[in-house]
mmCIF file of all heavy atoms in Angstrom:
data_model
loop_
_atom_site.group_PDB
_atom_site.id
_atom_site.type_symbol
_atom_site.label_atom_id
_atom_site.label_comp_id
_atom_site.label_asym_id
_atom_site.label_seq_id
_atom_site.Cartn_x
_atom_site.Cartn_y
_atom_site.Cartn_z
ATOM 1 N N ASN A 367 0.824 -1.201 0.000
ATOM 2 C CA ASN A 367 0.000 0.000 0.000
ATOM 3 C C ASN A 367 0.862 1.257 0.000
ATOM 4 O O ASN A 367 2.047 1.231 0.355
ATOM 5 C CB ASN A 367 -0.913 0.023 1.226
ATOM 6 C CG ASN A 367 -2.094 -0.915 1.080
ATOM 7 O OD1 ASN A 367 -2.451 -1.314 -0.024
ATOM 8 N ND2 ASN A 367 -2.716 -1.272 2.191
ATOM 9 N N GLY A 368 0.233 2.365 -0.360
ATOM 10 C CA GLY A 368 0.883 3.665 -0.307
ATOM 11 C C GLY A 368 -0.127 4.726 0.061
ATOM 12 O O GLY A 368 -1.329 4.466 0.137
ATOM 13 N N VAL A 369 0.351 5.932 0.291
ATOM 14 C CA VAL A 369 -0.519 7.056 0.626
ATOM 15 C C VAL A 369 -0.145 8.239 -0.259
ATOM 16 O O VAL A 369 0.970 8.308 -0.791
ATOM 17 C CB VAL A 369 -0.409 7.454 2.113
ATOM 18 C CG1 VAL A 369 -0.904 6.317 3.004
ATOM 19 C CG2 VAL A 369 1.010 7.848 2.485
ATOM 20 N N ASP A 370 -1.067 9.169 -0.399
ATOM 21 C CA ASP A 370 -0.826 10.354 -1.219
ATOM 22 C C ASP A 370 -0.015 11.349 -0.404
ATOM 23 O O ASP A 370 -0.559 12.214 0.281
ATOM 24 C CB ASP A 370 -2.170 10.954 -1.650
ATOM 25 C CG ASP A 370 -1.998 12.060 -2.690
ATOM 26 O OD1 ASP A 370 -0.859 12.525 -2.874
ATOM 27 O OD2 ASP A 370 -3.006 12.459 -3.313
ATOM 28 N N VAL A 371 1.299 11.205 -0.474
ATOM 29 C CA VAL A 371 2.171 12.036 0.362
ATOM 30 C C VAL A 371 2.053 13.512 -0.001
ATOM 31 O O VAL A 371 2.291 14.385 0.851
ATOM 32 C CB VAL A 371 3.639 11.562 0.273
ATOM 33 C CG1 VAL A 371 3.797 10.198 0.915
ATOM 34 C CG2 VAL A 371 4.115 11.518 -1.177
ATOM 35 N N SER A 372 1.660 13.828 -1.241
ATOM 36 C CA SER A 372 1.535 15.238 -1.625
ATOM 37 C C SER A 372 0.418 15.927 -0.855
ATOM 38 O O SER A 372 0.503 17.119 -0.539
ATOM 39 C CB SER A 372 1.283 15.354 -3.137
ATOM 40 O OG SER A 372 0.044 14.773 -3.496
ATOM 41 N N ARG A 373 -0.647 15.195 -0.529
ATOM 42 C CA ARG A 373 -1.751 15.776 0.242
ATOM 43 C C ARG A 373 -1.382 15.948 1.713
ATOM 44 O O ARG A 373 -2.096 16.610 2.457
ATOM 45 C CB ARG A 373 -3.003 14.889 0.152
ATOM 46 C CG ARG A 373 -3.612 14.791 -1.222
ATOM 47 C CD ARG A 373 -4.889 13.969 -1.179
ATOM 48 N NE ARG A 373 -5.968 14.676 -0.488
ATOM 49 C CZ ARG A 373 -7.011 14.080 0.073
ATOM 50 N NH1 ARG A 373 -7.102 12.752 0.069
ATOM 51 N NH2 ARG A 373 -7.960 14.788 0.662
ATOM 52 N N LEU A 374 -0.298 15.318 2.123
ATOM 53 C CA LEU A 374 0.115 15.368 3.524
ATOM 54 C C LEU A 374 1.301 16.295 3.742
ATOM 55 O O LEU A 374 1.884 16.329 4.817
ATOM 56 C CB LEU A 374 0.459 13.954 4.008
ATOM 57 C CG LEU A 374 -0.717 12.985 3.994
ATOM 58 C CD1 LEU A 374 -0.234 11.535 3.965
ATOM 59 C CD2 LEU A 374 -1.629 13.212 5.192
ATOM 60 N N ALA A 375 1.659 17.065 2.702
ATOM 61 C CA ALA A 375 2.790 17.982 2.807
ATOM 62 C C ALA A 375 2.437 19.142 3.736
ATOM 63 O O ALA A 375 1.263 19.458 3.957
ATOM 64 C CB ALA A 375 3.162 18.505 1.428
ATOM 65 N N GLY A 376 3.467 19.783 4.263
ATOM 66 C CA GLY A 376 3.259 20.917 5.149
ATOM 67 C C GLY A 376 3.600 20.576 6.581
ATOM 68 O O GLY A 376 3.572 19.418 6.995
ATOM 69 N N LYS A 377 3.926 21.614 7.353
ATOM 70 C CA LYS A 377 4.345 21.407 8.732
ATOM 71 C C LYS A 377 3.468 22.242 9.657
ATOM 72 O O LYS A 377 3.033 23.336 9.316
ATOM 73 C CB LYS A 377 5.809 21.826 8.918
ATOM 74 C CG LYS A 377 6.797 21.086 8.034
ATOM 75 C CD LYS A 377 8.211 21.607 8.280
ATOM 76 C CE LYS A 377 9.222 20.967 7.340
ATOM 77 N NZ LYS A 377 10.590 21.511 7.561
ATOM 78 N N LEU A 378 3.235 21.718 10.842
ATOM 79 C CA LEU A 378 2.553 22.447 11.903
ATOM 80 C C LEU A 378 3.365 22.274 13.184
ATOM 81 O O LEU A 378 4.026 21.240 13.370
ATOM 82 C CB LEU A 378 1.134 21.909 12.110
ATOM 83 C CG LEU A 378 0.123 22.192 10.995
ATOM 84 C CD1 LEU A 378 -1.187 21.448 11.280
ATOM 85 C CD2 LEU A 378 -0.133 23.681 10.847
ATOM 86 N N PRO A 379 3.346 23.249 14.075
ATOM 87 C CA PRO A 379 4.077 23.098 15.346
ATOM 88 C C PRO A 379 3.559 21.904 16.130
ATOM 89 O O PRO A 379 2.343 21.655 16.177
ATOM 90 C CB PRO A 379 3.781 24.415 16.080
ATOM 91 C CG PRO A 379 3.372 25.382 15.013
ATOM 92 C CD PRO A 379 2.685 24.558 13.952
ATOM 93 N N LYS A 380 4.461 21.160 16.720
ATOM 94 C CA LYS A 380 4.076 19.999 17.513
ATOM 95 C C LYS A 380 3.390 20.441 18.813
ATOM 96 O O LYS A 380 3.761 21.430 19.429
ATOM 97 C CB LYS A 380 5.300 19.141 17.845
ATOM 98 C CG LYS A 380 5.910 18.419 16.645
ATOM 99 C CD LYS A 380 4.966 17.390 16.073
ATOM 100 C CE LYS A 380 5.590 16.607 14.939
ATOM 101 N NZ LYS A 380 4.626 15.652 14.322
ATOM 102 N N GLN A 381 2.351 19.685 19.182
ATOM 103 C CA GLN A 381 1.612 19.943 20.407
ATOM 104 C C GLN A 381 1.884 18.797 21.393
ATOM 105 O O GLN A 381 2.407 17.751 21.027
ATOM 106 C CB GLN A 381 0.112 20.043 20.101
ATOM 107 C CG GLN A 381 -0.233 21.070 19.041
ATOM 108 C CD GLN A 381 0.059 22.489 19.456
ATOM 109 O OE1 GLN A 381 -0.139 22.844 20.625
ATOM 110 N NE2 GLN A 381 0.567 23.303 18.541
ATOM 111 N N ASP A 382 1.484 19.020 22.629
ATOM 112 C CA ASP A 382 1.773 18.032 23.664
ATOM 113 C C ASP A 382 0.640 17.014 23.776
ATOM 114 O O ASP A 382 -0.114 16.990 24.754
ATOM 115 C CB ASP A 382 1.984 18.721 25.014
ATOM 116 C CG ASP A 382 2.423 17.725 26.091
ATOM 117 O OD1 ASP A 382 3.017 16.692 25.719
ATOM 118 O OD2 ASP A 382 2.162 17.986 27.282
ATOM 119 N N PHE A 383 0.517 16.161 22.751
ATOM 120 C CA PHE A 383 -0.424 15.050 22.823
ATOM 121 C C PHE A 383 0.031 13.944 21.880
ATOM 122 O O PHE A 383 0.691 14.198 20.863
ATOM 123 C CB PHE A 383 -1.862 15.486 22.493
ATOM 124 C CG PHE A 383 -2.097 15.853 21.044
ATOM 125 C CD1 PHE A 383 -2.499 14.894 20.111
ATOM 126 C CD2 PHE A 383 -1.935 17.164 20.607
ATOM 127 C CE1 PHE A 383 -2.725 15.226 18.781
ATOM 128 C CE2 PHE A 383 -2.159 17.511 19.273
ATOM 129 C CZ PHE A 383 -2.560 16.536 18.362
ATOM 130 N N ALA A 384 -0.314 12.730 22.250
ATOM 131 C CA ALA A 384 -0.172 11.579 21.350
ATOM 132 C C ALA A 384 -1.522 11.336 20.691
ATOM 133 O O ALA A 384 -2.573 11.756 21.199
ATOM 134 C CB ALA A 384 0.277 10.356 22.124
ATOM 135 N N LEU A 385 -1.498 10.659 19.577
ATOM 136 C CA LEU A 385 -2.717 10.424 18.805
ATOM 137 C C LEU A 385 -2.894 8.934 18.558
ATOM 138 O O LEU A 385 -1.932 8.211 18.282
ATOM 139 C CB LEU A 385 -2.629 11.152 17.457
ATOM 140 C CG LEU A 385 -3.802 10.989 16.490
ATOM 141 C CD1 LEU A 385 -5.063 11.661 17.042
ATOM 142 C CD2 LEU A 385 -3.445 11.589 15.120
ATOM 143 N N ALA A 386 -4.125 8.472 18.671
ATOM 144 C CA ALA A 386 -4.508 7.134 18.211
ATOM 145 C C ALA A 386 -5.675 7.333 17.266
ATOM 146 O O ALA A 386 -6.603 8.104 17.561
ATOM 147 C CB ALA A 386 -4.901 6.240 19.379
ATOM 148 N N LEU A 387 -5.650 6.662 16.137
ATOM 149 C CA LEU A 387 -6.590 6.984 15.071
ATOM 150 C C LEU A 387 -6.979 5.734 14.307
ATOM 151 O O LEU A 387 -6.119 4.955 13.895
ATOM 152 C CB LEU A 387 -5.935 7.994 14.116
ATOM 153 C CG LEU A 387 -6.651 8.360 12.828
ATOM 154 C CD1 LEU A 387 -7.980 9.050 13.120
ATOM 155 C CD2 LEU A 387 -5.763 9.276 11.979
ATOM 156 N N GLY A 388 -8.270 5.532 14.099
ATOM 157 C CA GLY A 388 -8.723 4.399 13.298
ATOM 158 C C GLY A 388 -10.148 4.014 13.634
ATOM 159 O O GLY A 388 -10.822 4.663 14.451
ATOM 160 N N ARG A 389 -10.598 2.962 13.006
ATOM 161 C CA ARG A 389 -11.929 2.432 13.292
ATOM 162 C C ARG A 389 -11.963 1.921 14.735
ATOM 163 O O ARG A 389 -11.079 1.169 15.149
ATOM 164 C CB ARG A 389 -12.253 1.309 12.309
ATOM 165 C CG ARG A 389 -13.626 0.716 12.461
ATOM 166 C CD ARG A 389 -13.865 -0.377 11.438
ATOM 167 N NE ARG A 389 -14.145 0.149 10.127
ATOM 168 C CZ ARG A 389 -13.513 -0.198 9.008
ATOM 169 N NH1 ARG A 389 -12.529 -1.080 9.065
ATOM 170 N NH2 ARG A 389 -13.835 0.327 7.858
ATOM 171 N N ILE A 390 -12.961 2.333 15.493
ATOM 172 C CA ILE A 390 -13.038 1.954 16.902
ATOM 173 C C ILE A 390 -13.665 0.569 17.002
ATOM 174 O O ILE A 390 -14.886 0.400 16.896
ATOM 175 C CB ILE A 390 -13.860 2.981 17.716
ATOM 176 C CG1 ILE A 390 -13.349 4.402 17.457
ATOM 177 C CG2 ILE A 390 -13.788 2.638 19.191
ATOM 178 C CD1 ILE A 390 -11.907 4.642 17.815
ATOM 179 N N CYS A 391 -12.828 -0.431 17.187
ATOM 180 C CA CYS A 391 -13.289 -1.814 17.254
ATOM 181 C C CYS A 391 -12.293 -2.610 18.093
ATOM 182 O O CYS A 391 -11.149 -2.175 18.299
ATOM 183 C CB CYS A 391 -13.442 -2.410 15.853
ATOM 184 S SG CYS A 391 -11.959 -2.326 14.835
ATOM 185 N N PRO A 392 -12.694 -3.784 18.594
ATOM 186 C CA PRO A 392 -11.841 -4.506 19.549
ATOM 187 C C PRO A 392 -10.438 -4.807 19.034
ATOM 188 O O PRO A 392 -9.458 -4.693 19.799
ATOM 189 C CB PRO A 392 -12.633 -5.790 19.810
ATOM 190 C CG PRO A 392 -14.054 -5.431 19.562
ATOM 191 C CD PRO A 392 -14.027 -4.431 18.431
ATOM 192 N N GLU A 393 -10.320 -5.206 17.765
ATOM 193 C CA GLU A 393 -9.011 -5.641 17.285
ATOM 194 C C GLU A 393 -7.988 -4.506 17.194
ATOM 195 O O GLU A 393 -6.786 -4.750 17.102
ATOM 196 C CB GLU A 393 -9.122 -6.349 15.937
ATOM 197 C CG GLU A 393 -9.717 -5.523 14.820
ATOM 198 C CD GLU A 393 -11.218 -5.708 14.675
ATOM 199 O OE1 GLU A 393 -11.867 -6.133 15.659
ATOM 200 O OE2 GLU A 393 -11.737 -5.424 13.584
ATOM 201 N N LYS A 394 -8.448 -3.254 17.218
ATOM 202 C CA LYS A 394 -7.503 -2.130 17.174
ATOM 203 C C LYS A 394 -6.879 -1.855 18.546
ATOM 204 O O LYS A 394 -5.894 -1.120 18.628
ATOM 205 C CB LYS A 394 -8.189 -0.872 16.643
ATOM 206 C CG LYS A 394 -8.622 -0.977 15.185
ATOM 207 C CD LYS A 394 -7.457 -1.224 14.253
ATOM 208 C CE LYS A 394 -7.889 -1.310 12.802
ATOM 209 N NZ LYS A 394 -6.761 -1.586 11.881
ATOM 210 N N GLY A 395 -7.452 -2.401 19.602
ATOM 211 C CA GLY A 395 -6.823 -2.341 20.920
ATOM 212 C C GLY A 395 -6.582 -0.947 21.462
ATOM 213 O O GLY A 395 -5.612 -0.722 22.202
ATOM 214 N N PHE A 396 -7.462 0.000 21.164
ATOM 215 C CA PHE A 396 -7.217 1.374 21.598
ATOM 216 C C PHE A 396 -7.222 1.526 23.121
ATOM 217 O O PHE A 396 -6.635 2.476 23.647
ATOM 218 C CB PHE A 396 -8.246 2.318 20.971
ATOM 219 C CG PHE A 396 -8.043 2.533 19.495
ATOM 220 C CD1 PHE A 396 -9.056 2.279 18.591
ATOM 221 C CD2 PHE A 396 -6.834 2.997 19.008
ATOM 222 C CE1 PHE A 396 -8.883 2.478 17.237
ATOM 223 C CE2 PHE A 396 -6.638 3.206 17.651
ATOM 224 C CZ PHE A 396 -7.667 2.939 16.755
ATOM 225 N N HIS A 397 -7.862 0.597 23.825
ATOM 226 C CA HIS A 397 -7.808 0.664 25.289
ATOM 227 C C HIS A 397 -6.371 0.510 25.792
ATOM 228 O O HIS A 397 -6.008 1.084 26.830
ATOM 229 C CB HIS A 397 -8.715 -0.407 25.904
ATOM 230 C CG HIS A 397 -8.334 -1.811 25.577
ATOM 231 N ND1 HIS A 397 -8.449 -2.356 24.307
ATOM 232 C CD2 HIS A 397 -7.819 -2.800 26.364
ATOM 233 C CE1 HIS A 397 -8.027 -3.605 24.333
ATOM 234 N NE2 HIS A 397 -7.640 -3.900 25.557
ATOM 235 N N LEU A 398 -5.550 -0.226 25.058
ATOM 236 C CA LEU A 398 -4.150 -0.394 25.450
ATOM 237 C C LEU A 398 -3.365 0.899 25.240
ATOM 238 O O LEU A 398 -2.497 1.246 26.052
ATOM 239 C CB LEU A 398 -3.526 -1.542 24.658
ATOM 240 C CG LEU A 398 -4.231 -2.897 24.808
ATOM 241 C CD1 LEU A 398 -3.619 -3.928 23.886
ATOM 242 C CD2 LEU A 398 -4.172 -3.371 26.263
ATOM 243 N N ALA A 399 -3.669 1.614 24.154
ATOM 244 C CA ALA A 399 -3.022 2.914 23.928
ATOM 245 C C ALA A 399 -3.403 3.901 25.023
ATOM 246 O O ALA A 399 -2.558 4.664 25.511
ATOM 247 C CB ALA A 399 -3.417 3.455 22.559
ATOM 248 N N LEU A 400 -4.674 3.879 25.416
ATOM 249 C CA LEU A 400 -5.118 4.756 26.498
ATOM 250 C C LEU A 400 -4.411 4.417 27.802
ATOM 251 O O LEU A 400 -4.005 5.310 28.570
ATOM 252 C CB LEU A 400 -6.629 4.651 26.661
ATOM 253 C CG LEU A 400 -7.472 5.345 25.580
ATOM 254 C CD1 LEU A 400 -8.902 4.815 25.591
ATOM 255 C CD2 LEU A 400 -7.467 6.857 25.780
ATOM 256 N N GLN A 401 -4.249 3.119 28.077
ATOM 257 C CA GLN A 401 -3.548 2.709 29.290
ATOM 258 C C GLN A 401 -2.091 3.173 29.274
ATOM 259 O O GLN A 401 -1.564 3.663 30.284
ATOM 260 C CB GLN A 401 -3.616 1.198 29.437
ATOM 261 C CG GLN A 401 -4.998 0.650 29.751
ATOM 262 C CD GLN A 401 -5.052 -0.872 29.681
ATOM 263 O OE1 GLN A 401 -4.016 -1.528 29.605
ATOM 264 N NE2 GLN A 401 -6.252 -1.425 29.704
ATOM 265 N N ALA A 402 -1.434 3.031 28.126
ATOM 266 C CA ALA A 402 -0.027 3.431 28.023
ATOM 267 C C ALA A 402 0.122 4.936 28.227
ATOM 268 O O ALA A 402 1.054 5.394 28.903
ATOM 269 C CB ALA A 402 0.538 3.017 26.665
ATOM 270 N N ALA A 403 -0.784 5.712 27.642
ATOM 271 C CA ALA A 403 -0.725 7.163 27.796
ATOM 272 C C ALA A 403 -0.941 7.564 29.255
ATOM 273 O O ALA A 403 -0.292 8.491 29.764
ATOM 274 C CB ALA A 403 -1.762 7.827 26.894
#
């Protein structure tokens, strides 16, 4: 797979947060990311 890197060009100042992103379902294990954070 690939992504359209041209649409993702550009910079923004980094903020103080981590991100988890995706379909909210059991196999994505987002509860584990929340626990780690």
Side-chain angles (χ1 to χ4, degrees):
N367 284 341
V369 296
D370 189 346
V371 292
S372 64
R373 294 184 70 203
L374 297 159
K377 301 179 184 178
L378 290 173
K380 291 295 184 184
Q381 305 294 322
D382 186 26
F383 70 90
L385 178 67
L387 173 63
R389 182 179 283 128
I390 309 300
C391 56
E393 59 267 22
K394 294 300 181 181
F396 288 124
H397 62 291
L398 302 175
L400 286 162
Q401 291 171 11

